[in-house]
């Protein structure tokens, strides 16, 4: 099969700076989003995801300007997430140069929003982000508010429903693993990937390059997302791609 | 020498910043404009027909804004590049949205990948999303780009060409499909060159340097 698996560096951005927390708290500054996005583009990243974790409304305008600046310099697909609640938020991000938007809590509160968004802008630009936590054997639930608030929704069933509602892709983050560098939660990844007919991005927990390989080979993910292993210079994106290709995974190396 | 003009046709379907930005980046001396004005499009040296979203909506806007008439003129006189749904709109018809008549610049149809797409026993996801190889057929727009380079695709419908001579790039995802079509001064691609990093930028640069002679 010729379609390459994708590596997607993720920028968690707060008040105009790339940050990275452990289990969604304990923030560490990693630099300027535009510079970092450009660096990953040059290193051969397949896409870039920009997650705005700024709480305030004023911060949103900063985000729009940053997305514009990134889109001017980065010629690979760009996904923007964080605070996408209305069709106007989507329009604003697409107009700023995003190719896709990632919808998280708004989908949980109002699943019809995903339908409306997909009808309006096309499934190809609607990513539904799922934050899942293990609550029992082979049982994962959706959490909101950065992993603090349980919803009682079964993560696998939710993914299937979101695909039916018109999501073009799923960004699956394991809240147990996020920032702790012990590898993806392969159980929930595989359970969701094998249940839906849309691409799934695995996220949360990457601490070394073998974790990326496992995400694809064991978790069956179509794409793998990582942040801190790239931000602090442990690995370049190109090293990660070479490592995955050496493990027999189809990657874009040219 | 006055600078060249490239018109990116805006018929209200999606954001054209990326296409505009990429074209402007590869050709700083060319004036790249996003426009729906037929007069500007007629004056341009190079014309780009992009497109995203559903074909029914795209074709409805193309007809309502008489973009089809401008394209019919342009195809005879200057280099024209179709991108993604812009390519699909150039085919005869698409089976998306229950069947939609398109502009018919190329004979052939646009078909759904299907929900049961399989390759070597592995189920393939639809949309076809990500970086896939394109096997080139000699054309000036591939100059300097290695054969089988990867480009970024995102689509659920694919072009099945009726005239194989017009296929200028071959793609494969469960089925063989036309990743690029071309004849005379028209070239059209299913992938997004504006999102395909170096290979995509090289193709756009070749297009803006192209005189329309295959």
């Amino acid at each position: 099969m010729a379609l390459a698996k994708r590596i997607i560096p993720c920028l968690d951005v707060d008040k105009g700076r790339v940050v990275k927390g452990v289990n969604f708290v304990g923030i560490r500054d990693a630099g300027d989003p535009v510079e970092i996005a450009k660096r990953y583009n040059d290193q051969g990243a397949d896409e870039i995801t920009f997650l705005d974790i700024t709480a305030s409304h004023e911060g949103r305008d900063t985000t729009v300007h940053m997305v514009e600046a990134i889109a001017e310099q980065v010629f690979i697909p760009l996904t923007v997430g964080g605070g996408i609640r209305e069709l106007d938020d989507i329009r604003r991000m697409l107009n700023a140069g995003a190719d896709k938007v990632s919808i998280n809590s708004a989908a949980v509160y109002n699943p019809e929003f995903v339908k409306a968004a997909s009808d309006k802008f096309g499934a190809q630009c609607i990513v539904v982000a799922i934050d899942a936590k293990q609550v029992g054997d082979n049982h994962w639930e959706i959490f909101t508010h950065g992993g603090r608030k349980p919803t009682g929704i079964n993560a696998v069933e939710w993914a299937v429903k979101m695909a039916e509602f018109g999501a073009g892709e799923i960004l699956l983050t394991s809240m147990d693993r996020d920032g702790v560098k012990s590898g993806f939660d392969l159980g929930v990844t595989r359970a969701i990937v094998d249940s839906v007919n849309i691409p799934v991005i695995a996220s949360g927990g990457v601490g070394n390059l073998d974790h990326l390989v496992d995400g694809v080979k064991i978790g069956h993910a179509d794409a793998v997302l990582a942040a801190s292993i790239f931000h602090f210079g442990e690995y370049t994106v190109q090293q990660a791609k070479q490592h995955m290709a050496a493990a027999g995974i189809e990657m874009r190396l040219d | 020498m006055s600078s060249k003009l490239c018109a990116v046709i805006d018929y209200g379907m999606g954001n054209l910043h990326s296409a505009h930005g990429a074209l402007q980046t590869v050709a700083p001396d060319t004036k790249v404009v996003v426009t729906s004005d037929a007069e500007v499009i007629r004056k341009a040296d190079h014309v780009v027909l992009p497109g995203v979203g559903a074909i029914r909506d795209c074709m409805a806007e193309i007809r309502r804004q008489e973009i089809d008439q401008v394209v019919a003129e342009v195809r005879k006189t200057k280099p024209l590049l179709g991108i993604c749904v812009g390519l699909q709109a150039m085919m005869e018809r698409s089976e998306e949205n229950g069947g939609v008549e398109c502009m018919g610049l190329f004979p052939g149809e646009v078909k759904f990948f299907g929900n049961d797409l399989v390759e070597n026993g592995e189920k393939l996801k639809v949309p076809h999303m990500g970086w896939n190889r394109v096997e080139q057929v000699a054309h000036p727009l591939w100059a300097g780009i290695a054969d089988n380079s990867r480009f970024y695709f995102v689509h659920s419908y694919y072009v099945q060409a009726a005239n194989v001579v017009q296929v200028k790039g071959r793609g494969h995802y469960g089925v063989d499909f036309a990743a690029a079509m071309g004849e005379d001064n028209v070239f059209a691609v299913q992938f997004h060159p504006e999102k395909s990093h170096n290979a995509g930028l090289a193709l756009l640069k070749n297009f803006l340097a192209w005189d329309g002679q295959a």
Side-chain angles (χ1 to χ4, degrees), chain A residues 5-234:
Chain A
K5 300 296 179 184
R6 292 169 278 154
I7 290 195
I8 308 176
C10 178
L11 315 179
D12 295 271
V13 180
D14 183 26
K15 299 184 193 76
R17 299 290 289 176
V18 174
V19 295
K20 187 62 205 174
V22 175
N23 283 101
F24 276 52
V25 287
I27 303 289
R28 187 174 163 193
D29 188 287
D32 172 55
V34 182
E35 254 171 53
I36 293 175
K38 180 85 172 49
R39 190 204 310 158
Y40 295 152
N41 175 70
D42 295 344
Q43 288 178 3
D46 296 310
E47 296 187 21
I48 287 174
T49 290
F50 180 113
L51 292 181
D52 178 15
I53 60 170
T54 309
S56 70
H57 193 72
E58 308 82 73
R60 299 265 175 257
D61 291 329
T62 314
T63 302
V64 170
H65 294 312
M66 291 204 152
V67 170
E68 282 170 353
I70 292 173
E72 270 170 31
Q73 299 178 44
V74 168
F75 300 108
I76 54 176
L78 174 65
T79 300
V80 178
I84 303 287
R85 295 187 184 90
E86 295 168 23
L87 294 178
D88 259 355
D89 297 328
I90 301 178
R91 191 191 325 276
R92 200 143 78 109
M93 287 309 169
L94 296 180
N95 283 341
D99 299 286
K100 314 180 201 179
V101 293
S102 169
I103 304 173
N104 194 336
S105 354
V108 177
Y109 300 137
N110 176 18
E112 294 292 325
F113 174 53
V114 173
K115 246 185 208 170
S118 184
D119 281 349
K120 180 88 191 160
F121 302 103
Q124 83 288 338
C125 67
I126 304 301
V127 182
V128 170
I130 296 180
D131 291 343
K133 233 182 204 179
Q134 185 153 18
V135 292
D137 279 353
N138 287 313
H139 188 210
W140 298 269
E141 260 184 32
I142 306 292
F143 279 68
T144 57
H145 295 79
R148 293 188 304 276
K149 204 174 158 193
T151 64
I153 301 169
N154 178 298
V156 179
E157 288 166 15
W158 179 247
V160 170
K161 179 173 173 176
M162 288 297 96
E164 281 167 7
F165 274 37
E169 196 171 33
I170 283 170
L171 167 55
L172 170 67
T173 302
S174 160
M175 307 301 290
D176 309 297
R177 304 301 181 96
D178 201 60
V180 300
K181 306 193 133 203
S182 58
F184 295 118
D185 182 332
L186 299 170
V188 69
T189 304
R190 188 163 174 159
I192 287 181
V193 174
D194 292 350
S195 305
V196 297
N197 196 34
I198 53 174
V200 176
I201 305 162
S203 156
V206 174
N208 62 51
L209 302 184
D210 286 330
H211 291 153
L212 300 174
V213 172
D214 292 345
V216 172
K217 287 201 148 178
I218 304 172
H220 295 175
D222 301 283
V224 286
L225 180 143
S228 44
I229 60 161
F230 299 131
H231 294 340
F232 302 108
E234 279 169 77

Side-chain angles (χ1 to χ4, degrees), chain B residues 22 45 66 93-94 115 117 125 135 153 160 163 166 170 175:
Chain B
D45 301 283
E66 300 180 348
R93 70 185 68 80
S94 170
N115 288 316
L117 199 63
K125 309 255 168 150
E135 186 189 341
F153 290 86
Q160 194 176 60
N163 181 358
Q166 293 173 331
R170 290 188 277 261
V175 294

Side-chain angles (χ1 to χ4, degrees), chain A residues 2 41 75 95 99 193 250, chain B residues 15 17 125 131 150 195 197:
Chain A
N41 175 70
F75 300 108
N95 283 341
D99 299 286
V193 174
E250 187 98 29
Chain B
N15 126 58
H17 292 275
K125 309 255 168 150
W131 299 79
R150 290 181 186 275
K195 289 288 158 188
H197 204 222

